[in-house]
Every structure is written in C-alpha cells, then in structure tokens.
Amino acid sequence: MGCLCRSGCWVLIVLLSFNIRSAFADSPQRPKNVQTALRAKWSGTPLLLEAGELLSKENENLFWDFIEIWLNTEKDALSSPTAKDCLKKILECGRPLLSEPLKSLFEFSLMLRSASPRLVLYQQLAEESLMSFPLGDENYSDDEIEEKLQIDKKIERGKLDPMHGQNLKSHRGKCCWVDTGEHLFLDVYELLAWLQGSAELVGDSFQRPEIFDFDHIYYESSVGSPVAILYGALGTNCFREFHVTLVKAAKEGKVKYVVRPVLPAGCESNISHCGSVGAGESMNLGGYGVELALKNMEYKAMDDSTVKKGVTLEDPRTEDLSQEVRGFIFSKILERKPELTSEVMAFRDYLLSSTISDTLDVWELKDLGHQTVQRIVRASDPLQSMQEINQNFPSIVSSLSRMRLDNSVREEIMANQRMVPPGKSLMALNGALVNVEDVDLYLLIDLIHQDLLLADQFSKLKIPQGTLRKLLSTSPPSESSIFRVDFRSSHVHYLNNLEEDAKYKQWRNNLNEILMPVFPGQLRYIRKNLFHAVFVLDPATRCGLESVDTIISLYENNFPMRFGIVLYSSKFVTQLENHVTEQHSDEDISTMIISLFSYINENYGVPMAFRFLSNVNKLQIESDGNADDPLELHHVEGVFVETILSKVKSPPQQILLMLYKDEKLKELSQESSKFVFKLGLSKLQCSLLMNGLVIDPTEEALINALNDETPRIQEQVYFGQIMSDTDVLAKFLSEAGIQRYNPKIISDSKPKFISLSMFTFGEESVLNDIVYLHSPGTMDNMKAVTHLLAVDITSRNGMKLLRQGIHYLIEGSKNARVGLLFNANQNHNSFGLVFVKVFEITASLYSHKMNVLNFLDQLCSLYEKDYVLTSMEAESTQAFVDIVCELSEANGLPSKGYRYALPEFPAEEVKKHLSKVQSSLYKVLGLESGVNAVFTNGRVTYPIDESTFLSADLHLLESIEFKQRINHIVEIIEEVEWDDVDPDTLTSKFISDTVMALSSSMAMRERNSESARFEILNDQHSAIILNNENSSIHIDAVLDPLSPTSQKLSGILRILWKYIQPSMRIVLNPVSSLADLPLKSYYRYVVPTMDDFSNTDYAINGPKAFFANMPLSKTLTMNLDVPESWLVEPVIAFHDLDNILLENLGDTRTLQAVFELEALVLTGHCSEKDHDPPRGLQLILGTKTTPHLVDTLVMANLGYWQMKVSPGVWYLQLAPGRSSELYILKEGGEGSYNKQSSKLITINDLQGKVVHMQVVKKKGKEHDKLLLPDNADNAQHKKKGSGLNSNFLKWASGFIGGNKLSKEVEKQEKGRGGRHGKTINIFSIASGHLYERFMKIMILSVLKNTHRPVKFWFIKNYLSPPFKDLIPLMALEYGFEYELVTYKWPTWLHKQKEKQRIIWAYKILFLDVIFPLSLEKVIFVDADQVVRADMGELYDMDIRGKPLAYTPFCDNNKEMDGYRFWRQGFWKDHLRGKPYHISALYVVDLKKFRETAAGDNLRVFYETLSKDPNSLANLDQDLPNYAQHTVPIFSLPQEWLWCESWCGNATKYKAKTIDLCNNPMTKEPKLQGARRIVSEWPDLDFEARRFTARILGDDQESESIQSPNQSKDLTSEDSLNKDMESRAEL
C-alpha cells in the first residue's frame, strides 16, 4: 500500500510539474530571496585573542594557562590552515581547561564573537599608551611625530569619531611594547636593562599606569612592584619574548605583569598560524532578528524611479531544501529522483508562491492558535516546528487553518488560561523571571553562564546535583528591601497625637478612607497615627533649629502626621566616639538646651517646650552676627526666662540655678545623646525618621516619603493586615525594624560582594589557614554568618576594628563567627609579627576557654597603646612575650603554649602569610597596603570609619545578611545528605565554610528577584517538554506561538538546546479567538554556525539572515529586531528597504542589505536623594585626555539619559557651567562632597550599560534652581554675555554624534548665493526612497525661497545609504549645512510596533534631547512639503512665549466635513474651543520647550494614552493637540500650511507651504497628487533627479530623465505609474 501511495505521489508531482513548467514559460520570473547582514563598525579582531578573553571570564588563571598551552603548541603548526581549521585548533587548546557544558558555551561564544568588544577596548588603551609619551621621546620617528600631531589636532577640533576611533598601527614597525608609566620599551633587551635596575624603583618614586578591573594581572605578581603592561598579540614572536621575560620578573617580585592583547594593523604577516584569523576584515554579528513585514499600501507610497542597474551582490549560498513545504521535504525527493530536479524545483517554487496568505475568513481564524499548538506539540522536533511556523507564518497559515483540532488540546489550553491570560508570554531561568520583551541572546547567555559557573563551583564543594538545582532556583532578596530604624523610646518627644488630641476631633476615623482616590497632591485627613515623622537633631545647630520651625509650621497647618523629636548633643557624641569618659569643663550648649527642654516639657507641657526651641531659633536669626555663629549660653538662658515667665511664680533665674545643679536632668539629656549615638544617627547631623525610614529633614523629602509610604499602608489596609485598632508604627518596626543605622550598611546603592569560594584565590587560598574566633560556648555550633575582618596591624584604626569584633563576640552571637585577615603596610615591626602569632596560637589551643576573648581584648588594648608603629629594638620583643604570658595567666589561659612557641617562631612564615593576605585583598579592593574592611559572607563593608564602627554594626550586618541572603541557604544545606564527603571532615567548620562560600558566590549573581509558579499549569497536550536531568539550567516559559516575542524566542531557545541542552518546559498559550492574522511578517533570527568559517582560506563570512522564495507581488518592509543597546543603520542597500517589491528585481536573484552597528547605547538614571530627578542636568562623556566627546541632558522621566558609545574606557562627568556649579556626583553609598569627580564607565561587551548615578547639591547651593527662568536668564545674559548655560553653549556639540561633514560646510562662504544673517534650522524625517525623493524636493524649495543660511537636521534612523551618501554632496552644491541626529527609543517608554508610528513618534517625543543643547529654535517641515515663502519669516515669528507653534486645520473644503473628527464627540469636549492643529509644519522654541519640561510632559501623556490601541491614531498630531492644555500651542496664520484635502482651492494662492496630505476620501497615490497639485513640483523633481543621477555617475540615466516640458504625454505616464503601484497594493 505504501508503494502504491508513493508511486501515486510521484505521478502527482510529475503531472503538476509539467503544468507548472508550461505556466512558467509565459512568466519567466524565478523565485527571489532576501539576505541581510549586520556588521560591527570596528574592524574584526583576532579569534585567538577572543578565546583568551572568553576563558578569563571563567577564571582569570585560565587566561594564563591558555597562553602557555598555545605557546607550547605553536611548533605543531598546521601546514596551510583555513579559518575552520584554526577555529578547531583554538577550541582544542581552550576546551580542555573547562568542564561541560561550559565547553559548549565557550565554543558558541567564540563563534558569536562576543569577546570582540573587549579587544576593541584594549586597542583604545594601546592608542592612549602610545600617545601618552612626549613628542621629544627618542621612541618616536619624525613621521610618527607628524602623525601624532595630526591626531591631536583632530581631537582638539572634535573631528575624531569617538565611536570608531583610529585603527591601531604598529609603532616603528614593532608589534609589541611594554609600558611602565615612565618608559616605553619596544625591545626585550631595553626591558631587561630596566628590570636589572628596578629594585630601586620599589616604592612611590615611579609613575604607574592605571590598572582596571578587567585587566589580566599575572597571578604570581607581587602587589607593590612597578607595573609593566605588555601590549601585543599571542602568536607573534615579540609577544613570546616579552612574555617569558616578564613572567620570570613577576615570579622574582620585580614587576606586576599585566597583558593587554592587541594586534596592531600591519602585524598580521608577523604572526604565526591562526593568530590573525578574524583580524582586519569586516565582522558580521549574530544575535538579532530580521523581519520582512507585509506592508499596508493603502496610500501607495512607492517611488517610481528605477533602481540603479548593474550593481549586484549575488549570494553564492543555496536554499535550504530540508525545510518542509506543504508536507514535502524536497531534499529527500531530490535524493531519490535527481533526474527530475528541474521539475521538482518548479513544483516547490509553485507551492511556495501559492501559499502566501495575508487574510483568512473569520471561521478559519477561530481555532488558528489552538491548531498551531497541536502542530507544534506533535512534531518530532517541537522547537524546530515552532520556529518554522512563526518565522514563515504567511506561507504556512492556510495549511494550519485546515488542520483538524483535537478537543484535548483545546480543553487544556482553556484550563491553563483560567490562570494566565490568553496570549501572555513569560519566561524564567532557574526560577528567576526574564523580561521576554527585551531579552536577547547575549543577555541570556550571560545569565546562563553565571549559573553554569556557580554549578561548577558548587560541584567542587561536593554539593549533590539535586541540592545544586535547588540552590540555583532560590530567589535573591528583593531589591526594594525596606529597613526601618526602631526609634521607640522614652527619648522621643511627640508634639501631637492624631488619635487623642481635640484638635483633630472633626476628622473621620474610618481607616478605609485611605483607599479613596484623591487628586494628585491632595492629603487624606484620617484620625489615626499612620505617619510618624520624628526629627533627630542637635538643638544648638542651625539645621536642628530650622527643623523645629518646619515641624511647628506643618503642625499649625494641620498636616496629617504625628510629629516628634529626639534631641542630642554633637559635642557629647564626639566624646563617646573618642572614648572620653571624664567631663570637660567647657560648657555644652546642646546638653543645656536639652535639659531646659526636658524641664519645660515635664512642667508646662510639650507645646511650650517646642515654643522654647522655636524661640531659640528666632533669637539666632534675629541676632546681628552670622547665622552660623554658635549660640551663647546667656542667649539660651534669656529665651528660657522669656518662655516660662508668664507661667512661673518664683523668679526664673532661681529655676535656672536649680537646674544647673540638677544632675538628674543632665543625665537624662546625656542618655538621649547616647541613644542617638547607639542608633547611629549622630553621623547625619540632622535626620528625619518617617515611620522609621531615614530621610533628609526637609519638607519636600517628607512629602515624597509620605507619598511613597501611602501605597504600602493602602495595600495592607486592603488585605486586612492593618485594622482600625492596629498600631501601625509598632507593626512596621516589628516587621522591618533594625536597632542601628549605618549608611555604609543600609544605603540605596547595591552593596559590593565578592565570592569567598575556596577557588576564588586558587587552591592555596588564604581562607584555608584563617584564624576564627567564636562567642563563648558556641565553638562547636554551625555558624551561618562569617565576618572576615581585614585588620591592618600597623594602624591604631585596625586595632579599633579588631577590638569591636572581639566585643561583638563577647556580647554574644550564637549564629556568627569572626575570621581575621591580618595585613600590614611596608613599615611593620617585629611586635606585629608576634601579635599575629599570638592570635594563631590562641585560636588553635584555647578557643574553647571562657576568658579567651577577654585576654585578646586586653592584648589588643596593650598592643595598640604601646607597640603599634614603635621602633624599639628587636631584643625588647621578649619583654612583649613576657607581658603576653602574664595576661594569659591572669585570664586563666596556660602560658606554656606561648612561652614554648613565641621566642623562636619562624617570622618569615608570618611575613609570607601577611603578604598572601595583602595580595588577596588587592584583588578584591585594589588597595596595596594597610586595609581595614569587613567581609560578611562576601558582602564588602569598606571603607570603614573605625571611630564610629561599633560591635553593633556587626550585629546589624549579621541580622540583615542572615535574614536576606543566608537563612534560605542554611535551610537547604541542613537537609543535604553528604554521601561523597569523608565523615571525619564533616564538622561544623566544614558546614560553616560551605554556607559562607555558597552565600557569597550566589550574591554575585545578577538576576531578577521576581518569580512565577509555572508548575500549576497543565502540560499534557499543549506544552513542549525537553528533559535533561544532568543539566543545572532549567527554563520555564509560557509562550504565545503566534506572537512577535515567540518569533525571536523560538530561535534563541533552539540555539540554547543545541549548545547547552537545558531542561525546558514551554507551555503554549495562544490567543483563543482571533479577529485578524496574528503575524503578518517573515522572521529570521541570526546566529553563527560552523559553516561561517571558510574551508578554503582565512575568511570568516559571518552569519546572515536568509529569506528564500519570498512573495514577488507583495510589498514588504524590512525591520531589524536588535538588542536594546544597539544603534544600527543600513550602509549598503540599493533597493528601497521600506518598500521591497521583489518582482521589480529583474535578473537579480537575491536582494541584499548590509546594516552596521553604529554604536552602543549607554543609558542611565540620575537621581537626587529625596528630590525629583534633576531635570535638565547636563552630562558629558569622553576620555581622560578628551573629556567631552558626547553630551546629553537628564529627563524628568525617571531621570533618564542616554549617549552613544563604542567599546572602551570612558569618563562621565557633569558639564562645565551651571550643572557642575550646583551639583557633584555622589560616589558609592556616601558622597564625596569636596571634589568634582568623574565616573568610570567600561564598555567591554555588546550589551551597552545602564548606569545608576546619584548627584547631590553643593553646600550652600541647596535652594538654587538648575534651570533659570527667562527673566533670570536674560539678567545673566546681560552680565556674562551668555544664555541658559553660559559655558556650555560655547562648546555644546551635536548630541550623540552628527555627520561631521556639516562642519566642513561651515567653512564654505556664508554669503554663497547671497545668504547672510542668522541660520535657520529645519528638521525633517523620511523613510523609503519615495519620501527621500520628496525630501530633496522640499530642500530645494526651501533654498529657492529663503535668503538666509539654512541648516537641515535629519533624523538618521531610517535614511537609506544612497541618501546618506548624497546629502553631503548636495550640501556642498547648494550651500547649506546639515547634521544627522539620532536617539534610541528608551526601554521604559511604551514601544510602537509599526515603523510608520515609530517615525511619527520621533517627530514629537524627543525634541528636548535629540538636538544639541546649544540649538534654541527649529522648524519641522514634512518631507512631502513644498515651500513657497521665505522660512526666515516663520523662524523670526513671535510665538508669544509658547514652546510650540502649529497651523490649525483648514475648514473651507466642505467635502471633507465628514472626516473632521475633532468637531464631534471626545475631541470636541477635550479641546474646549481650542483648534485642532496639523503636524506637517511646526516651530519648536527649544529653549522654552526644555525650560517648561514640555518634552517630559508629552512623554507622560504618550505613556498614558499609547497603551490603549484605540487612542493616538495619528500619533504625531493627536499627542500635541491632546496635550495643548499643558503644553500650550501658538496657532500660526492659516496661509503657512495649505493642503488640498482640507483647504479649498480659493485659498491656494495665499499658501506659503503646500503639503501633500493623504486624502482619506480618494486615497490618491502621492506622486500622482504631487504632479497635479503643485505646479512647480515637476521642475523641482527634475532638478533633484538630474542632480542625483549626475552625482552617482549614471550619465545614461541622467540623459533619460526628461524635463516636464519635454514630456509629451503625462497622462499616459501617470496611468503607467498607477498601474505599477496598484500591482503592489495588498
């Protein structure tokens, strides 16, 4: 039966093939393909060096191991290797260093070229290394000096493209050099001579080059040695020579050896086999998607110009015949019947071309999603099936819709959709949710890589596989952890009580009132103590007394909050910090005020006590002296007398005398200060606790905190967790209360972590021989928390820290231990070595003794007092040993252990240990000597203010870390059955070490804290399940298989399965009832394969997207789906990528397009603590030598900013002028308030970077505004001759890059063509060849009617390569300036999916940030507009201080009344009599626009409205019209914009510009309308086309273009064009 069927099929194929062949005889068109590539802007980098970088990400030592392996295998060189041979050879050397599946990931990452950006970064540093040596240096030849001068000049003029940089060239023919900061060595013998004298260089006499976190430092290098950086490439002879010499020197302690791998241009011929593969050539990237979308051709917007002939980039590759087409796999058919190849291929082409569907009937759509799920789940390879369906959907949809649906599939999908919304997509990696909208291959591989590294570490710790998966699936702590200081105490003095005071009796006490909606800024008046604002202040300071006035002002204005204060004396706290116990005779005003306050409070009530403090403040303000002058005692006494005078019977002076003698009051005030010191709040001078949250003591910060706290209370009220009788403060403080505040431990910024795994510093880890101390009686307990104290034994501060650690254990901690990392600077003495040895002996012999901690504390006290940094003779060490023995005996510890071990202990061993610790600390903190720090299960607390770091801070660290990161790990570890561990080693120390290593390693993970419960979904009939029990990676997903998200993810998941083989469970979740086709596009996800590497030569072709057999008669538009941080542009494209009609390709079989990664996007969020983001703050980015290469400003929306960068080392800082006058960057958790700092930003991968930065206002500038209003600006202008930012405007350059040719144009004679006066700035946007043709005509019409200089600004994102090539030449020919600008769509702003809507959005959403900050006004002119007036008239028009000026829609074409939607319904009500304006022409006063935050307001409106698919139908027009009540619009005179669709012909003669608006009634094609409506359009078009043809050198075409006068039959031409366009219509 099978044979019959097969023969029957063959008959069918052959019959069909003959019919098809006869059909093709009439129409010789063959199927067409589309191919797309994306290349990096930088030249390719050597694959060999990329391999080293990838291995260093696994472990830094592997980088050095790989170098040794490669150097040893160079002698086994292949005779004539190809790129593929070299790839295999590199993998052979690299793979043995790794375990599976890290081996496979290494292979894929190498093919993906993901390490290339790191090598580009090294090239930048190599260039700076060569340029940093003075010109007179003997190392430079005359030619190089000249070249260096030229580069310097280019940088000075800003012409050097920071995103592309210079190609690194070999230096004097040398391919390697060593940079030591003072010298540049090009030859090994020079280096050897220097090394022989380097012994004298140890110390600070030499200038060291800067070393970065990413640098490769040889692991046996000594910490304090001179730095020697080798620039060179593995594979060159010079690298081998330098490397061998420097390794030897590093082992001898002579240098700190660093390698920065670079292969300068011209050195490829000097390199051994395979060393130069990948270098120099253009580099194609992978990891992105390409979409060919079926285009809506309602208005037929296609250019009728012919594509330039004779240019083809034909692709040699053949089609993939293994893909199924309508049930046939043609590769198998051709294997069996090769003689029928032409017939079979014709049949395949027929099937492909006949299956394109862009519409289906409603009944066919009904079950399409469910049918797709059934097809995928029942396929032999479900992932491949899903990818084929959603990436070729228009060709497959008709066969899917005819499939019979199984009820079990439908029922399971519907059951799952009771728990997850239909069409919703989610994905989790090892339990952590990943954002499916923004995910890309590079991000996923990074997340997987970090989990595989952890799994590898854990398996070395003998963790069983089941436990390992549990650990990797645990969620990290939520980033929004809230800590509240538990301030409850009798020292808090409350001014009011909302629940009891008569003042609030009329307020309602219903707690549900808080759930009622209110207007923004409106307060809820509820008679319940929901919000407690407790100010902690010193009453003798200006800040403290101002806080009192703030409290009284808010209280008197019935602010719904309970106010209180805690008073303390700064002077008394300082005494506590310095451990001064005796009382000083000099008076303490603060303590006196607190005593007087307490007396009044006790005897006359709280209001009078507060009035007393307020009067003290008044006195200070009214006094003649400076407000910052300290208060004097007699002033305070006078205020006290005045305050209580009306209430007392006896003379107030007597009361004062009595109070001075009252020790109880003084003690009470000191107790209050001690309480504040214990809480840790005295460091902040003034602070405010809002329900325990620490904020700035300002009214603005208080209101912001109230707004943040309200939703938390609302949530708990809603869920019944807060009832009417709940004490809200007690509830919050019991849940999240801490007993102490330390900004180093509790801050907004994420703490730094290091991995304390045994393998962090190698097998010889310092952690193996560490000294641990325990609380008495807890030595045998498992300790979840380990504090490692790095203690500098040569400093008193180190001793203070050590003593606090000992006090912490004496106070008692059952759950923690303290480990000691002793280190020393170069000046340590022999007492220090004895001191370290004493600790070692004590820990090993006497840890279990009761008084051991008291002994060590006394020892520290003695050592700190008498022996730190003393220069006594070595003989006196015996006296020190005697004292140690006496102390030990006094504390009940036998002294014989010390007497036996101390006199003759090996000092060298202790020195070696100190050096080892120092080396480890250098790797972690980058500090070379004298480190005091705390590492709590990997969390770094550094730097430490030793005078205020108390044992309480260690308790704080213990409680926070145990609760957040350690507890859940302990619970998992306690359940482990340690089958592979020797029972003798299974001690409490082993478990404690394991918990320490696990918790520190897991804290290094970057991952989302959110998770979802995927296990509740059914997976019998509608899920793809791929099990791999041995994998440590598990992927859960819920996907709609017919969604754009799934188009991308199906490609990514297939790649992950191929190389990593994670276990996967993908539940398919389609939209149940479709009204339209869910996908109207073809899609390819581009990833590299082994076939990209040539079999014949050294070439790496790189991955490409290939679309075979695309529909010929459908108009397609190409879109790239790239990672969020990529900024790409087309660089080679001869056809219109916006309107691809393949039947017009002629003989070309494959349409090709090449895009380029123009730059990576550096984005960030800038915040100011307790304030709104600093809107308008100006930032600059550059290198150390050229600090300003790009600039931008901060938006109010989330404090967002962006700049474009390339791989390299960059420095971000505040721009000179008002920004840096008012603000400084805040570094780390605490600010550096005294200097203008810059932030180091490293770009060394393809993922860009998101930078979170905080700024603070300078002292004395707290109340200054960043943006000056117009009047202040004008005053400043008169004084300094400047505008918004005087210094900034002088040099503000094009925002994130513009085409620098515009600057060349500036040199052209300004008076060319009679153009004089102030330049008019015009911007426009176009996509597709037709609109670019219109734009050329618009430019000509502007220039012919405008007499002043004109500068055009074009939004670069969508311009075609031919237009970008033409525009600089057109600028030179016609004498105008131009600049190309761009802006990447922010991730937080709701995205548009259609290209047309994205273009509309670019017209309006980013006006404040897309242009240089120096630009003050710009006019938008639509590309399809023809200008008839002098634009100078519009540019100079007074738009009455409004940021925008538009022309209202005409109303005199009565035929269109039915289409004027703004005259009825919603729009009529919303506009409230204001006109609805057209967006084809408008003026933007950028200065006013930025000043009034118009851009921020428009983005807020957009974000709110755009999520509704029915709003903003005409986005660029609806948005400003909707927002005009907030962002006012000036209405331009009607004649400034005329368009036939809306305006009658009676007013056409007045028109100053004519726009070719779409006509919703006739839908007339654009070109046809242009020729008919605008009389001068054909002449302008003729001129533009002749110019284009002449410039492109196509003389034949130039001659064939007829002028309008020569054209004899326009009608027939129009009808021909119309016919051509109608064929392209959907």
Side-chain angles (χ1 to χ4, degrees), residues 954-986:
L954 290 170
H955 285 292
L956 175 62
L957 275 167
E958 178 193 333
S959 63
I960 287 174
E961 290 303 297
F962 182 75
K963 183 177 169 187
Q964 284 202 308
R965 290 194 303 115
I966 303 167
N967 189 23
H968 60 278
I969 294 172
V970 172
E971 287 170 2
I972 293 171
I973 293 301
E974 282 174 343
E975 294 172 7
V976 174
E977 294 178 9
W978 300 93
D979 299 329
D980 299 337
V981 179
D982 180 354
D984 292 340
T985 63
L986 199 60

Side-chain angles (χ1 to χ4, degrees), residues 1378-1479:
Y1378 81 96
E1379 195 153 333
L1380 304 181
V1381 289
T1382 187
Y1383 199 80
K1384 180 79 178 180
W1385 194 283
T1387 51
W1388 48 268
L1389 198 62
H1390 180 70
K1391 287 185 175 60
Q1392 293 295 327
K1393 301 228 172 7
E1394 288 176 44
K1395 187 187 272 188
Q1396 183 57 58
R1397 290 182 65 77
I1398 295 170
I1399 290 168
W1400 285 345
Y1402 270 100
K1403 282 172 63 174
I1404 189 69
L1405 283 181
F1406 310 116
L1407 294 173
D1408 50 342
V1409 285
I1410 200 165
F1411 298 110
L1413 303 173
S1414 53
L1415 195 65
E1416 294 190 356
K1417 186 181 277 190
V1418 73
I1419 300 173
F1420 176 83
V1421 182
D1422 243 352
D1424 61 351
Q1425 214 158 325
V1426 176
V1427 174
R1428 289 182 161 180
D1430 189 332
M1431 293 301 273
E1433 185 187 338
L1434 180 58
Y1435 200 77
D1436 296 338
M1437 188 178 288
D1438 178 11
I1439 60 172
R1440 314 270 169 85
K1442 294 184 177 164
L1444 296 169
Y1446 285 76
T1447 312
F1449 263 89
C1450 302
D1451 57 2
N1452 48 346
N1453 185 358
K1454 299 303 177 190
E1455 292 177 2
M1456 301 299 290
D1457 280 357
Y1459 293 93
R1460 296 185 208 276
F1461 57 85
W1462 56 90
R1463 287 188 172 174
Q1464 55 206 353
F1466 164 80
W1467 273 105
K1468 184 181 179 183
D1469 296 340
H1470 178 76
L1471 290 171
R1472 302 200 295 273
K1474 288 184 182 288
Y1476 185 87
H1477 302 84
I1478 189 166
S1479 65

Side-chain angles (χ1 to χ4, degrees), residues 1160-1183:
L1160 297 165
V1161 180
L1162 173 68
T1163 60
H1165 298 277
C1166 182
S1167 61
E1168 184 183 355
K1169 191 172 187 291
D1170 299 325
H1171 295 276
D1172 292 332
R1175 175 175 68 81
L1177 190 74
Q1178 296 160 350
L1179 308 174
I1180 57 172
L1181 184 84
T1183 61

Side-chain angles (χ1 to χ4, degrees), residues 592-812:
M592 185 62 200
I593 296 175
I594 300 169
S595 300
L596 297 174
F597 175 88
S598 303
Y599 173 79
I600 298 172
N601 184 26
E602 200 176 313
N603 292 281
Y604 305 107
V606 180
M608 185 175 277
F610 272 84
R611 198 175 312 126
F612 161 65
L613 293 178
S614 178
N615 289 342
V616 172
N617 189 35
K618 272 183 202 154
L619 176 84
Q620 192 176 27
I621 294 167
E622 290 163 7
S623 63
D624 295 334
N626 187 349
D628 289 328
D629 287 347
L631 282 167
E632 291 183 20
L633 186 59
H634 66 89
H635 287 150
V636 175
E637 290 171 347
V639 171
F640 174 75
V641 168
E642 188 186 321
T643 305
I644 65 168
L645 193 58
S646 60
K647 299 280 183 183
V648 294
K649 291 172 184 174
S650 57
Q653 285 80 2
Q654 282 183 10
I655 297 172
L656 264 174
L657 287 170
M658 183 189 74
L659 291 178
Y660 284 139
K661 294 172 187 170
D662 190 341
E663 285 299 318
K664 190 182 170 193
L665 267 182
K666 190 172 185 182
E667 205 175 295
L668 197 66
S669 64
Q670 289 179 352
E671 286 298 320
S672 183
S673 295
K674 283 178 186 172
F675 173 67
V676 172
F677 177 62
K678 188 183 161 200
L679 288 180
L681 293 168
S682 53
K683 295 179 197 172
L684 302 177
Q685 292 181 332
C686 280
S687 57
L688 166 56
L689 300 174
M690 161 63 165
N691 283 358
L693 299 171
V694 181
I695 58 173
D696 281 352
T698 63
E699 191 172 329
E700 183 187 359
L702 183 62
I703 291 168
N704 286 341
L706 176 89
N707 292 334
D708 292 340
E709 187 81 329
T710 300
R712 298 183 197 116
I713 295 176
Q714 285 173 325
E715 184 182 349
Q716 298 207 23
V717 169
Y718 182 80
F719 288 110
Q721 292 159 350
I722 291 178
M723 314 293 282
S724 57
D725 58 345
T726 306
D727 183 336
V728 174
L729 184 66
K731 183 178 192 304
F732 279 169
L733 294 181
S734 60
E735 288 171 352
I738 51 175
Q739 302 305 312
R740 179 168 168 80
Y741 175 78
N742 184 331
K744 283 267 182 271
I745 298 170
I746 299 159
S747 71
D748 298 333
S749 52
K750 192 180 174 189
K752 180 182 176 180
F753 290 96
I754 58 162
S755 173
L756 294 173
S757 161
M758 301 295 273
F759 304 95
T760 305
F761 307 132
E763 295 294 340
E764 301 239 334
S765 170
V766 312
L767 301 179
N768 294 339
D769 44 29
I770 211 161
V771 173
Y772 287 111
L773 303 175
H774 307 262
S775 281
T778 67
M779 188 177 169
D780 297 328
N781 298 0
M782 190 279 287
K783 302 293 168 60
V785 179
T786 302
H787 298 293
L788 295 180
L789 305 190
V791 175
D792 175 11
I793 58 169
T794 58
S795 77
R796 288 195 165 84
N797 281 338
M799 288 301 105
K800 282 180 184 170
L801 175 62
L802 178 53
R803 289 190 70 190
Q804 290 301 331
I806 294 170
H807 292 167
Y808 161 72
L809 292 174
I810 292 171
E811 288 159 16

Side-chain angles (χ1 to χ4, degrees), residues 359-503:
T359 55
L360 282 181
D361 292 321
V362 176
W363 57 88
E364 292 177 294
L365 282 168
K366 186 167 69 78
D367 290 326
L368 191 58
H370 296 170
Q371 290 163 318
T372 304
V373 170
Q374 184 171 306
R375 167 81 68 90
I376 292 168
V377 171
R378 296 185 181 180
S380 56
D381 183 344
L383 278 180
Q384 182 182 356
S385 174
M386 179 160 73
Q387 187 177 13
E388 283 177 3
I389 289 170
N390 60 33
Q391 298 199 354
N392 298 294
F393 188 69
S395 300
I396 291 171
V397 60
S398 57
S399 68
L400 275 174
S401 65
R402 292 194 293 272
M403 185 183 199
R404 189 177 168 203
L405 181 63
D406 191 326
N407 269 338
S408 60
V409 175
R410 188 203 311 272
E411 285 163 9
E412 183 169 289
I413 290 171
M414 292 180 78
N416 283 339
Q417 288 179 346
R418 292 190 198 105
M419 292 171 276
V420 61
K424 175 80 174 170
S425 290
L426 291 168
M427 181 170 156
L429 178 68
N430 280 343
L433 283 178
V434 177
N435 185 344
V436 289
E437 298 300 324
D438 299 333
V439 75
D440 61 72
L441 184 60
Y442 295 93
L443 174 66
L444 260 186
I445 283 189
D446 269 8
L447 292 172
I448 287 169
H449 179 246
Q450 70 176 359
D451 278 13
L452 289 177
L453 274 179
L454 280 177
D456 195 40
Q457 276 184 33
F458 294 174
S459 61
K460 289 174 184 170
L461 291 168
K462 304 284 194 298
I463 305 286
Q465 182 69 21
T467 308
L468 199 150
R469 287 183 77 157
K470 254 191 211 175
L471 284 166
L472 290 176
S473 299
T474 57
S475 294
S478 167
E479 288 176 12
S480 59
S481 299
I482 289 175
F483 297 105
R484 301 174 186 271
V485 177
D486 191 344
F487 60 86
R488 289 173 291 178
S489 153
S490 58
H491 299 295
V492 181
H493 304 285
Y494 283 110
L495 173 61
N496 60 338
N497 187 330
L498 274 66
E499 294 173 12
E500 295 174 6
D501 293 357
K503 181 176 181 176

Side-chain angles (χ1 to χ4, degrees), residues 1233-1244:
Y1233 293 96
N1234 52 3
K1235 63 180 175 38
Q1236 166 63 35
S1237 53
S1238 60
K1239 193 175 182 73
L1240 172 72
I1241 291 169
T1242 304
I1243 305 292
N1244 59 1

